[in-house]
Amino acid sequence: MTAGSFLIPDLLEQYMKESGYTERWITVQEIRARFQPDCPSGQAISGFLGRNHNGAFAACRYKVTKIEKFQDTIPPYRVFRRYFVQERPVRQNHTR
């Protein structure tokens, strides 16, 4: 299956599983580099991660808990965001 057939939450889950971490800082550029050439646009990924941080995707296995902005140290001095992604705790169903 190619990356183009995945939705962004699926890409995020695959990226996190492959990294072997349950939480880590990521950038849009890292995700796009991993899933090239079939990756969604950077704007789409950034938009998803930002909405995820605001709680829009409660069903997603991973949540964005922090967003930091930083500036590139070489021209053209672009501003980047990095996202701290954490796996959500698995809910336990309690039967009575």
Side-chain angles (χ1 to χ4, degrees):
M1 199 176 274
T2 65
S5 61
F6 286 108
L7 297 174
I8 296 172
D10 297 326
L11 292 176
L12 178 60
E13 184 171 337
Q14 183 178 342
Y15 185 83
M16 291 297 289
K17 281 183 180 179
E18 289 174 359
S19 76
Y21 294 104
T22 58
E23 60 183 38
R24 70 174 289 189
W25 286 101
I26 64 170
T27 65
V28 170
Q29 293 79 7
E30 290 171 332
I31 293 173
R32 294 199 73 222
R34 165 58 188 88
F35 295 106
Q36 292 250 350
D38 297 325
C39 195
S41 74
Q43 289 178 331
I45 296 168
S46 178
F48 167 79
L49 294 171
R51 288 189 305 275
N52 180 300
H53 181 254
N54 293 326
F57 299 100
C60 184
R61 181 175 179 179
Y62 293 90
K63 64 181 176 180
V64 175
T65 58
K66 298 177 194 172
I67 300 175
E68 289 185 352
K69 291 182 183 179
F70 60 98
Q71 189 169 11
D72 202 355
T73 57
I74 57 173
Y77 303 110
R78 293 177 287 181
V79 174
F80 292 93
R81 287 180 178 86
R82 67 181 190 158
Y83 304 86
F84 192 70
V85 177
Q86 293 180 307
E87 186 173 17
R88 293 180 191 274
V90 176
R91 289 181 154 183
Q92 300 291 327
N93 290 335
H94 297 284
T95 57
R96 295 181 182 201

